[in-house]
Amino acid sequence: SLLTDDVRALVGRATPLGTVRVTPKAYRRAIEVYTGEPPLAVPPPGAPIPGYLIAALDSESPTPAPAVPALLPNSILIANEWQFERPLRMGENLESVHAIVAVNERFGGRFGYSVDFRTEVVFRDATGSAVARSAQTMTQYSAADARGGGEP
């Protein structure tokens, strides 16, 4: 098993990424990406905005999220999830914190032996309440061990 005590110890370790702000620039970028058209207007400060703006916030953190250990040579994103406790609001500042929330290994299947890392960034408001979560699950594998040599 590649899941050593050092790797398991990473689960739950929080890394502050800094403050992100829900800005008109992030709003415009998210609207254009997800609708294919520029927005006609930007909501006023405090107005609720579409949840998919969280994708823009993921890239706005002043500190990049720490990389997960590279236990195997290949990786693929297998899940991307967003969860909201309340709507995001134009102009609000949110503290973002990253953590590895789970590590699992699989034996067999298309990728042969693989390791899944689930990471999460939690966005908290000024009261410390969680507003939203952005989670990703990455599978690490060795193409040499995968069925069909890892080819699709």
Side-chain angles (χ1 to χ4, degrees):
S1 172
L2 296 176
L3 298 188
T4 64
D5 289 342
D6 288 344
V7 172
R8 284 187 193 93
L10 296 173
V11 175
R13 187 178 300 163
T15 302
L17 302 179
T19 303
V20 295
R21 184 173 178 84
V22 180
T23 63
K25 177 183 173 184
Y27 176 82
R28 282 188 209 92
R29 185 174 53 179
I31 294 294
E32 285 190 51
V33 166
Y34 285 96
T35 69
E37 303 203 7
L40 299 175
V42 173
I49 57 168
Y52 50 76
L53 189 114
I54 196 171
L57 295 182
D58 273 339
S59 64
E60 297 284 323
S61 295
T63 304
V68 297
L71 303 179
L72 292 162
N74 306 100
S75 65
I76 185 170
L77 175 69
I78 61 169
N80 200 2
E81 301 173 38
W82 300 330
Q83 180 181 3
F84 300 91
E85 304 300 325
R86 66 157 175 84
L88 299 170
R89 301 200 177 278
M90 180 58 73
E92 75 179 328
N93 290 321
L94 301 168
E95 291 299 317
S96 57
V97 177
H98 174 272
I100 295 174
V101 295
V103 180
N104 300 297
E105 58 188 343
R106 291 190 59 195
F107 299 90
R110 178 177 180 178
F111 296 111
Y113 175 77
S114 62
V115 177
D116 294 346
F117 283 92
R118 180 175 168 83
T119 61
E120 182 178 87
V121 175
V122 177
F123 297 93
R124 296 185 180 279
D125 64 16
T127 69
S129 297
V131 173
R133 292 175 172 77
S134 177
Q136 292 186 334
T137 303
M138 296 291 293
T139 291
Q140 293 184 7
Y141 65 99
S142 172
D145 296 334
R147 256 190 289 165
E151 295 298 317

